[in-house]
mmCIF file of all heavy atoms in Angstrom:
data_model
loop_
_atom_site.group_PDB
_atom_site.id
_atom_site.type_symbol
_atom_site.label_atom_id
_atom_site.label_comp_id
_atom_site.label_asym_id
_atom_site.label_seq_id
_atom_site.Cartn_x
_atom_site.Cartn_y
_atom_site.Cartn_z
ATOM 1 N N TRP P 446 11.534 -7.866 65.113
ATOM 2 C CA TRP P 446 11.896 -9.151 65.703
ATOM 3 C C TRP P 446 11.408 -10.267 64.824
ATOM 4 O O TRP P 446 11.699 -11.507 65.177
ATOM 5 C CB TRP P 446 11.132 -9.303 67.077
ATOM 6 C CG TRP P 446 11.658 -8.318 68.099
ATOM 7 C CD1 TRP P 446 12.629 -8.562 69.058
ATOM 8 C CD2 TRP P 446 11.219 -7.008 68.375
ATOM 9 N NE1 TRP P 446 12.865 -7.550 69.826
ATOM 10 C CE2 TRP P 446 11.988 -6.495 69.468
ATOM 11 C CE3 TRP P 446 10.340 -6.122 67.704
ATOM 12 C CZ2 TRP P 446 11.823 -5.225 69.939
ATOM 13 C CZ3 TRP P 446 10.154 -4.930 68.279
ATOM 14 C CH2 TRP P 446 10.882 -4.386 69.381
ATOM 15 N N ALA P 447 10.833 -10.089 63.750
ATOM 16 C CA ALA P 447 10.234 -11.141 62.884
ATOM 17 C C ALA P 447 11.307 -12.154 62.377
ATOM 18 O O ALA P 447 11.109 -13.325 62.249
ATOM 19 C CB ALA P 447 9.443 -10.608 61.690
ATOM 20 N N LYS P 448 12.485 -11.595 62.078
ATOM 21 C CA LYS P 448 13.608 -12.431 61.640
ATOM 22 C C LYS P 448 13.973 -13.418 62.718
ATOM 23 O O LYS P 448 14.091 -14.632 62.513
ATOM 24 C CB LYS P 448 14.863 -11.604 61.310
ATOM 25 C CG LYS P 448 16.007 -12.496 60.850
ATOM 26 C CD LYS P 448 17.324 -11.656 60.706
ATOM 27 C CE LYS P 448 17.261 -10.786 59.530
ATOM 28 N NZ LYS P 448 18.614 -10.127 59.283
ATOM 29 N N ALA P 449 14.074 -13.002 64.021
ATOM 30 C CA ALA P 449 14.403 -13.814 65.076
ATOM 31 C C ALA P 449 13.356 -14.909 65.374
ATOM 32 O O ALA P 449 13.598 -16.010 65.663
ATOM 33 C CB ALA P 449 14.762 -13.048 66.363
ATOM 34 N N VAL P 450 12.098 -14.468 65.286
ATOM 35 C CA VAL P 450 10.955 -15.256 65.527
ATOM 36 C C VAL P 450 10.972 -16.473 64.451
ATOM 37 O O VAL P 450 10.744 -17.590 64.703
ATOM 38 C CB VAL P 450 9.623 -14.487 65.588
ATOM 39 C CG1 VAL P 450 8.446 -15.462 65.604
ATOM 40 C CG2 VAL P 450 9.584 -13.610 66.730
ATOM 41 N N GLY P 451 11.279 -16.016 63.176
ATOM 42 C CA GLY P 451 11.219 -16.975 62.034
ATOM 43 C C GLY P 451 12.275 -18.039 62.336
ATOM 44 O O GLY P 451 12.043 -19.249 62.066
ATOM 45 N N ARG P 452 13.483 -17.553 62.756
ATOM 46 C CA ARG P 452 14.611 -18.573 62.931
ATOM 47 C C ARG P 452 14.200 -19.646 64.043
ATOM 48 O O ARG P 452 14.727 -20.682 63.965
ATOM 49 C CB ARG P 452 15.835 -17.758 63.311
ATOM 50 C CG ARG P 452 16.504 -17.196 62.109
ATOM 51 C CD ARG P 452 17.751 -16.417 62.433
ATOM 52 N NE ARG P 452 18.405 -15.966 61.150
ATOM 53 C CZ ARG P 452 19.292 -15.049 61.126
ATOM 54 N NH1 ARG P 452 19.650 -14.365 62.197
ATOM 55 N NH2 ARG P 452 19.821 -14.760 59.939
ATOM 56 N N LEU P 453 13.406 -19.222 65.019
ATOM 57 C CA LEU P 453 12.986 -20.246 66.055
ATOM 58 C C LEU P 453 12.182 -21.436 65.345
ATOM 59 O O LEU P 453 12.224 -22.503 65.860
ATOM 60 C CB LEU P 453 12.134 -19.595 67.083
ATOM 61 C CG LEU P 453 12.752 -18.605 68.007
ATOM 62 C CD1 LEU P 453 11.748 -17.859 68.903
ATOM 63 C CD2 LEU P 453 13.873 -19.180 68.839
ATOM 64 N N ALA P 454 11.658 -21.094 64.135
ATOM 65 C CA ALA P 454 10.861 -22.133 63.443
ATOM 66 C C ALA P 454 11.572 -22.633 62.162
ATOM 67 O O ALA P 454 11.031 -23.413 61.451
ATOM 68 C CB ALA P 454 9.538 -21.553 63.039
ATOM 69 N N GLY P 455 12.848 -22.126 61.980
ATOM 70 C CA GLY P 455 13.591 -22.634 60.854
ATOM 71 C C GLY P 455 13.096 -21.884 59.626
ATOM 72 O O GLY P 455 13.349 -22.354 58.458
ATOM 73 N N VAL P 456 12.512 -20.750 59.703
ATOM 74 C CA VAL P 456 11.959 -19.966 58.643
ATOM 75 C C VAL P 456 12.844 -18.707 58.374
ATOM 76 O O VAL P 456 13.051 -17.965 59.364
ATOM 77 C CB VAL P 456 10.566 -19.591 58.870
ATOM 78 C CG1 VAL P 456 10.032 -18.529 57.839
ATOM 79 C CG2 VAL P 456 9.635 -20.775 58.861
ATOM 80 N N SER P 457 13.189 -18.459 57.079
ATOM 81 C CA SER P 457 14.054 -17.322 56.832
ATOM 82 C C SER P 457 13.168 -16.095 56.527
ATOM 83 O O SER P 457 12.233 -16.116 55.757
ATOM 84 C CB SER P 457 14.846 -17.594 55.515
ATOM 85 O OG SER P 457 15.510 -16.473 55.059
ATOM 86 N N VAL P 458 13.408 -15.075 57.245
ATOM 87 C CA VAL P 458 12.750 -13.751 57.083
ATOM 88 C C VAL P 458 13.754 -12.689 56.771
ATOM 89 O O VAL P 458 14.254 -12.149 57.698
ATOM 90 C CB VAL P 458 11.797 -13.456 58.301
ATOM 91 C CG1 VAL P 458 11.041 -12.104 58.035
ATOM 92 C CG2 VAL P 458 10.918 -14.534 58.647
ATOM 93 N N PRO P 459 14.004 -12.355 55.495
ATOM 94 C CA PRO P 459 15.105 -11.418 55.158
ATOM 95 C C PRO P 459 14.748 -9.918 55.397
ATOM 96 O O PRO P 459 14.073 -9.342 54.537
ATOM 97 C CB PRO P 459 15.339 -11.722 53.696
ATOM 98 C CG PRO P 459 14.117 -12.266 53.167
ATOM 99 C CD PRO P 459 13.383 -12.909 54.336
ATOM 100 N N LEU P 460 15.077 -9.331 56.524
ATOM 101 C CA LEU P 460 14.886 -7.934 56.762
ATOM 102 C C LEU P 460 15.997 -7.443 57.591
ATOM 103 O O LEU P 460 16.824 -8.211 58.205
ATOM 104 C CB LEU P 460 13.551 -7.680 57.370
ATOM 105 C CG LEU P 460 13.125 -8.406 58.624
ATOM 106 C CD1 LEU P 460 13.789 -7.789 59.854
ATOM 107 C CD2 LEU P 460 11.624 -8.386 58.757
ATOM 108 N N GLN P 461 16.137 -6.112 57.619
ATOM 109 C CA GLN P 461 17.205 -5.417 58.386
ATOM 110 C C GLN P 461 16.614 -4.129 59.016
ATOM 111 O O GLN P 461 16.064 -3.313 58.267
ATOM 112 C CB GLN P 461 18.346 -5.109 57.512
ATOM 113 C CG GLN P 461 19.454 -4.220 58.112
ATOM 114 C CD GLN P 461 20.129 -4.898 59.282
ATOM 115 O OE1 GLN P 461 20.550 -6.059 59.207
ATOM 116 N NE2 GLN P 461 20.218 -4.179 60.425
ATOM 117 N N PRO P 462 16.704 -3.964 60.318
ATOM 118 C CA PRO P 462 16.380 -2.673 60.931
ATOM 119 C C PRO P 462 17.278 -1.631 60.482
ATOM 120 O O PRO P 462 18.488 -1.746 60.470
ATOM 121 C CB PRO P 462 16.399 -2.944 62.394
ATOM 122 C CG PRO P 462 16.414 -4.425 62.593
ATOM 123 C CD PRO P 462 16.997 -5.011 61.370
ATOM 124 N N VAL P 463 16.753 -0.470 60.102
ATOM 125 C CA VAL P 463 17.559 0.726 59.660
ATOM 126 C C VAL P 463 17.039 1.888 60.486
ATOM 127 O O VAL P 463 15.831 2.087 60.787
ATOM 128 C CB VAL P 463 17.325 1.008 58.155
ATOM 129 C CG1 VAL P 463 18.134 2.193 57.707
ATOM 130 C CG2 VAL P 463 17.689 -0.210 57.361
ATOM 131 N N GLN P 464 17.975 2.840 60.884
ATOM 132 C CA GLN P 464 17.633 3.975 61.625
ATOM 133 C C GLN P 464 16.904 4.970 60.690
ATOM 134 O O GLN P 464 17.355 5.228 59.520
ATOM 135 C CB GLN P 464 18.894 4.665 62.119
ATOM 136 C CG GLN P 464 19.664 3.837 63.171
ATOM 137 C CD GLN P 464 20.808 4.559 63.725
ATOM 138 O OE1 GLN P 464 20.764 5.681 64.037
ATOM 139 N NE2 GLN P 464 21.950 3.734 63.986
#
Side-chain angles (χ1 to χ4, degrees):
W446 291 267
K448 178 191 286 187
V450 171
R452 282 180 172 160
L453 293 174
V456 169
S457 173
V458 183
L460 53 78
Q461 172 63 50
V463 179
Q464 299 185 37

